[in-house]
Amino acid sequence: MNGHDLILQFLASAIASGGFAVIFKIPPPSLLVAALTGAAGWMAYLLVLPNSGTIMATFIASAMVSFVAEVSSRRLKTPATTIAVPGIIPLVPGMRVYRSMEYFLNGDNLNGIDEAAITLLISGAIAFGLAIVSSAYRLRKKH
Amino acid sequence: MQNEVMNVIMTAGELLLTSGAEVYRAEETMERMGKSLGYSVEAYVTPTGIMVTVAKDGYFLTRIRRIRSRNQDLGRIAGVNQISRELAMGSLTLEQTKLRLQELRGPIYNTFIRYFAVMVASACLTFMLGGRQYELIIAAGAGLIAYLVDLLLSRFNANPYLRSFAAAFLVANGVYTVRSFVPNISMPLVTVGGLMILVPGVAMASAVRDLVQGELLSGTSRVVEAVAIAAALAAGSAVAVGLWRL
């Protein structure tokens, strides 16, 4: 992927996340941050993807989204979810669900299950990326 | 007085839960708001109901509220969070809090901005998946159809599974119809781009955060909710694809 493509992908992911921020009714001050968070996650995904595969790339990207959301939500004094949710949208494996459905429809159950299993792993990677960073942010000394 | 406090706290909890907030956030917010108003509050919240006790000087008041529908509205969650914060700083009275919570029920963005956002987001997602030219325009239309179907059916109190199924079915049919005029477009790219706006992102994120907090009941039930909605989307498009192959 060359630089020109990367810029287009950056813009597309930022606009997509920004659009979702409006759909999820996030108030204007957090809108731009949510868009940039989505773009940051998608860039992390694209950069990790060639070396280590979809699942790892999704995990790193989701952790990235969660990290940016935790940091910026403290600045903006808003719950971290409001920024993280639009940010993870580009990572959602919608295409794989569709392909899996198509395989099953064609009677190709083996490929259908294969695709469904990868979808499950990717969703798990998104969840763990979010969970690990947000729990790390909650670490505190025991009194 | 205790009744008034109960009403305000219950409204805040209900707003949070019906907007898709985490259970632990609803409990914490209700307890914190009670404390700011000088009452000790104990709340037990599940995704389908709220139980709360407000206590002062040995007098206890307990109320249960059933929650039957959940939406995705991060703006309300942020709004209640802000109000609770201001209440804790002492810059709001009970009456003002009540008014501020009422104001949250109105929409932030008008209809046209939301439609525009839906179309642009669908087109951008299709672009990121590899769609080009006409595919982007058709995806924008598909996204708008999905959003309108979802909105229309929620007016009739349809549950999210029926809404997702119907939207996916109609979008896939629409894309097939368009494809008979513009033959070389990719069916999956456009359909997925259009249906992404119905992905239960808020439910999924809340589920993860609840699980991390040890709220096993809410975490697992929300995961099931999100998976069921995704399955309804897949099933809706599967039925349409199957019909067009007959």
Side-chain angles (χ1 to χ4, degrees):
Chain A
M1 188 168 282
N2 58 37
H4 181 244
D5 275 350
L6 216 56
I7 292 173
L8 279 180
Q9 289 285 335
F10 180 88
L11 287 176
S13 54
I15 297 171
S17 292
F20 269 87
V22 174
I23 296 169
F24 291 144
K25 297 162 197 155
I26 294 171
S30 318
L31 218 53
L32 187 66
V33 180
L36 290 178
T37 308
W42 186 242
M43 285 298 106
Y45 175 83
L46 288 179
L47 292 178
V48 178
L49 188 62
N51 302 317
S52 40
T54 323
I55 296 162
M56 190 62 196
T58 308
F59 174 74
I60 303 268
S62 152
M64 177 84 179
V65 167
S66 187
F67 177 70
V68 178
E70 293 286 346
V71 172
S72 54
S73 68
R74 273 162 184 72
R75 282 276 175 92
L76 291 164
K77 292 199 165 55
T78 175
T81 347
T82 54
I83 293 165
V85 172
I88 56 169
I89 291 294
L91 306 172
V92 172
M95 199 62 191
R96 285 185 189 272
V97 175
Y98 189 93
R99 242 184 274 150
S100 166
M101 176 276 286
E102 225 170 25
Y103 280 130
F104 278 118
L105 215 56
N106 293 338
D108 188 351
N109 293 353
L110 212 58
N111 272 321
I113 291 173
D114 184 51
E115 204 72 63
I118 296 176
T119 309
L120 210 65
L121 286 174
I122 293 177
S123 316
I126 297 178
F128 271 104
L130 285 178
I132 283 176
V133 174
S134 69
S135 18
Y137 245 86
R138 236 168 261 279
L139 291 181
R140 240 175 261 137
K141 260 197 201 134
K142 237 181 185 171
H143 337 262
Chain B
M1 190 60 193
Q2 204 159 359
N3 250 312
E4 290 281 294
V5 172
M6 170 63 95
N7 280 337
V8 166
I9 290 173
M10 198 51 126
T11 312
E14 189 187 0
L15 274 171
L16 282 175
L17 207 53
T18 51
S19 309
E22 306 93 323
V23 158
Y24 82 83
R25 184 184 303 284
E27 287 179 356
E28 273 179 20
T29 306
M30 290 165 88
E31 283 164 15
R32 213 176 307 128
M33 285 178 79
K35 211 173 157 193
S36 316
L37 293 165
Y39 289 77
S40 102
V41 171
E42 194 103 16
Y44 177 71
V45 179
T46 75
T48 50
I50 300 176
M51 294 170 227
V52 59
T53 296
V54 172
K56 193 178 192 179
D57 307 330
Y59 288 96
F60 293 86
L61 186 63
T62 300
R63 203 176 285 173
I64 295 177
R65 175 143 318 161
R66 275 286 277 130
I67 303 292
R68 293 209 160 76
S69 70
R70 282 169 301 283
N71 292 314
Q72 312 197 78
D73 193 333
L74 293 169
R76 275 190 197 163
I77 300 176
V80 176
N81 191 58
Q82 179 65 29
I83 292 170
S84 148
R85 203 185 285 268
E86 284 176 29
L87 190 65
M89 287 190 305
S91 51
L92 285 179
T93 64
L94 187 61
E95 279 304 311
Q96 286 170 325
T97 313
K98 213 156 111 191
L99 282 175
R100 287 281 298 277
L101 285 172
Q102 280 302 323
E103 281 167 17
L104 280 183
R105 291 187 191 270
I108 307 182
Y109 297 107
N110 68 36
T111 329
F112 285 105
I113 295 180
R114 269 183 290 144
Y115 290 168
F116 182 70
V118 165
M119 294 171 75
V120 169
S122 302
C124 281
L125 282 168
T126 302
F127 177 82
M128 286 156 69
L129 293 168
R132 294 293 180 269
Q133 297 167 359
Y134 296 127
E135 287 168 346
L136 303 185
I137 299 165
I138 298 163
L144 192 61
I145 294 174
Y147 191 69
L148 288 177
V149 171
D150 188 56
L151 216 60
L152 185 73
L153 284 178
S154 62
R155 292 248 168 89
F156 294 100
N157 271 332
N159 67 32
Y161 317 110
L162 177 65
R163 265 147 55 189
S164 304
F165 183 89
F169 180 74
L170 288 173
V171 163
N173 273 311
V175 175
Y176 264 113
T177 314
V178 171
R179 207 169 69 152
S180 44
F181 301 108
V182 195
N184 49 358
I185 60 164
S186 155
M187 175 77 196
L189 286 183
V190 176
T191 315
V192 171
L195 290 179
M196 280 292 267
I197 59 144
L198 297 182
V199 162
V202 178
M204 204 61 211
S206 293
V208 171
R209 291 171 70 93
D210 265 340
L211 281 175
V212 169
Q213 287 283 317
E215 300 282 351
L216 301 178
L217 205 62
S218 147
T220 44
S221 52
R222 283 234 176 93
V223 168
V224 172
E225 185 183 22
V227 169
I229 292 175
L233 288 172
S237 37
V239 171
V241 172
L243 282 177
W244 275 80
R245 285 189 186 166
L246 288 179

